[in-house]
Amino acid sequence: MRHRLKDLISGVAIYGAGGVAISVVRLLLLPVYIKGNYLTAADYGALAIVGGIEMFLKVVFRWGLDGSFMRFYYDRQPGRELQRLASTIFFFMLGVNAVVLALCLALSGPFARHVFDDPRQVLSLRLMLVNTFCISFTFLPFHVMRMRKRAMTFSAFEFARSSGTLVMTIIYVIGLHMGIPGMYLADVTVTAVLLPCLWRWFADLVRPTFSVEEMRAALRFGLPRLPHGVAVQTLDGGNRLLFARYVSDVELGIYNIGVTLGQGIKFFLSSFETAWAPFYYEAAREPNAKEILRKMTTYCVAVLALLVAGTTAVAHDAILLMATPAFLDGARVMPLIALGLAFQGLYLLTSIGLNLTNRTAFYPVSTGAAAVVGLGSGVPLMAHYGAIGAATAFLLSYMTQASVAFVFAQRFYPMRYEVGRIARIVIAGVVASVVAVWVIPPLPALPGFFARGTTTVVVYACLLAASGFLRITERRFLSEALARLRRRGPRRALGNAE
């Protein structure tokens, strides 16, 4: 059990390190783009439209087959069986996506001229289409790295891609004043360099072969994830688009600031999701699979509860750090947004039974129900309660997604979770955030942020320890980990995941 926990912690840390650093730099560059007049308000409007289309096409171009490849990877013997699976998926996507790309490119001109005032955005749209087509194949080598436990290699490629895109964006947008087309040209440039470098990771899997039987199995598992992915995009973007009907641009901007900062929990969720899938697929093959998954769920809930408590505690100070007092109303929605994303984390943890039993047809059911609840409740809530109503609708949508998926997963892969320990986690999180908010006196933004954040962590840890949450073996594991950190430093203590 202890080595399993080490594997998951190492995977989350390694997968997330590069992405967090680059995301912070990108956030700091936003004032540079705006104050330097490199991007105008109209540019950001065009970017929202092109970016929305891009997110939708990323789902369509993969057809849910990225999930199929990971699901069946362990079921196929290395060699011809695995090559047949990978080659079938590769050639299917190559043929079908080429047709979709050609159709989109043919329609891009009339569409762009109808939607955008700036004729340059035709180029932005076309560059996005080409790049989305190309990167749709990258899940094959990246999944191979994950399944072979090459976390450091995966993270290095991700960091190189993100940092390369960042550098090229600065060159094209700031250096050459290319605007939004420069952003998408940066994507295409980096993708053109990245694909040849990734070739060695799936060259031995692609052969001139195609299996109708494999294709049927892959589509049967993966295709239900297509409407699921579309519904996920509705959860992420539909909430703010609906809220825009009820408020002014200023009020929407304040809400967006709160949503953006409340979504800081995503830094953990994105890296966790990357590490979690290969972890549970491998763990499911062991005799004590359910015990491993049950305990890992408890530990992950503990992290999510701490992140929500911390977000709640520092909300006021975070707004003052990142914006101005005029945006302080955004602090009210941050805890609700963070809690909603915590339920997304619960969804990732408790819905794994649908993957393990090939019941992926229930994914779009859970996400579709979430979209209906979120948008349906949003209409009355936003009209009567403004930003709080919008954030509540966001929370309700993710609560629905997690609940529906949990019910279906328990039906096909029943598990008994550690309800008592999870209850202690929730109580500790609530008390820690309340203490940090009400006990710490008013302070300037930066000192207040660190004081309340530190208080939350300390109170949370003390409450869990006092409640008997940690068992003897877990206390021993934490003691040994802290000892290694003191002797070696945090980077070496994680170990080499290669």
Side-chain angles (χ1 to χ4, degrees), residues 42 44-53 107-122 125:
Y44 275 102
L47 184 62
I49 295 173
V50 178
I53 298 171
L107 297 175
S108 61
F111 174 83
R113 285 190 291 272
H114 177 73
V115 173
F116 303 116
D117 295 329
D118 188 348
R120 294 185 307 165
Q121 305 311 337
V122 178
L125 184 59

Side-chain angles (χ1 to χ4, degrees), residues 89-113:
I89 291 175
F90 176 80
F91 287 117
F92 172 85
M93 290 178 57
L94 184 63
V96 174
N97 287 351
V99 174
V100 175
L101 175 63
L103 181 62
C104 290
L105 288 173
L107 297 175
S108 61
F111 174 83
R113 285 190 291 272

